[in-house]
Amino acid sequence: MTPRVECTGAHGVVVMHGAGNGDKERNLSLAEEFAVRGHPAVALDFSGHGQSTGELLDLSLERRRDQAAAVIDEVFDASRPLILVGFSMSGQTVADLVDLYGARVAGIMLCAPGIYAKAAWDVPFGAGFTSLIRQPESWRDSAATEAYARFGGRALLVVPEQDAVIPDGVTELVRTALSTRADLSVLRLAGADHKLGAWLAERPQDRANVVSALLRSREGDDDAVGIGTAAFRSGR
């Protein structure tokens, strides 16, 4: 999505769907919401999803990172700071991209995020991935928590009222990690379930609210400013 006019300090926004039947179509309206605010945005299909090529069973967390990185490098100039938005399984992908791009990532939005054990990261979905992630609390050994604990930019954790997919312990682990250094806000959506991409696609006001919650500055902090108006606070 290309804005009519880019805002000052515009960021490149990447919106990533979850697993299962997730695809970019349900995220296009969210990408458009960022574009309306002056930030160029892209939603992508991972292989085996939507209009992509490739087989889902050959996909892995590692390949999801690589595919997202390929889109970023193709669409955005290397000097443009990034905002990463991840739904469900892409909670891990966002963390992997934070590790890859470092301080270039200025903001992240995690919607009912999942994270996964280090042992499962490079395992294809059709070659034992499911059995690895079904081991009790395997997510506690995720590299994502380390990446999020190091992240010092703006972060929004979006939590549905009812989530039958992501354990509460995962959400709390992500929240705790982001509380280490990030400028973190948590937004709980009443009436929402795990499928937040589809839920937000049908609710324009809620889409506007989550984007506003991410782009705002830390309340009462004169040195931190909203994404798209200036740089983040120095020294993070």
Side-chain angles (χ1 to χ4, degrees), residues 86-204:
F87 289 85
S88 193
M89 180 176 278
S90 284
Q92 179 71 49
T93 309
V94 169
D96 296 335
L97 293 169
V98 166
D99 258 351
L100 184 63
Y101 288 101
R104 186 179 168 192
V105 181
I108 61 175
M109 179 193 295
L110 303 175
C111 301
I115 58 175
Y116 302 90
K118 296 173 184 175
W121 188 69
D122 59 355
V123 178
F125 295 163
F129 176 82
T130 301
S131 62
L132 285 171
I133 66 171
R134 285 182 176 172
Q135 295 178 16
E137 298 193 349
S138 61
W139 38 266
R140 292 195 181 278
D141 181 42
S142 176
T145 56
E146 301 164 12
Y148 287 144
R150 291 190 295 268
F151 180 67
R154 181 82 180 100
L156 177 66
L157 177 59
V158 184
V159 182
E161 182 178 17
Q162 300 291 333
D163 195 331
V165 176
I166 302 298
D168 291 342
V170 170
T171 304
E172 181 59 23
L173 197 61
V174 171
R175 188 199 65 78
T176 300
L178 288 171
S179 297
T180 305
R181 298 186 68 239
D183 174 8
L184 172 66
S185 294
V186 179
L187 180 62
R188 299 186 183 276
L189 297 180
D193 60 15
H194 178 72
K195 296 182 179 180
L196 285 178
W199 198 85
L200 289 171
E202 297 175 352
R203 294 167 172 82

Side-chain angles (χ1 to χ4, degrees), residues 15 32 37 72-73 91 122 136 143 158 164 197 212 227:
V15 186
E32 177 64 25
R37 313 295 182 95
I72 290 169
D73 294 345
D122 59 355
V158 184
S212 293
I227 292 175

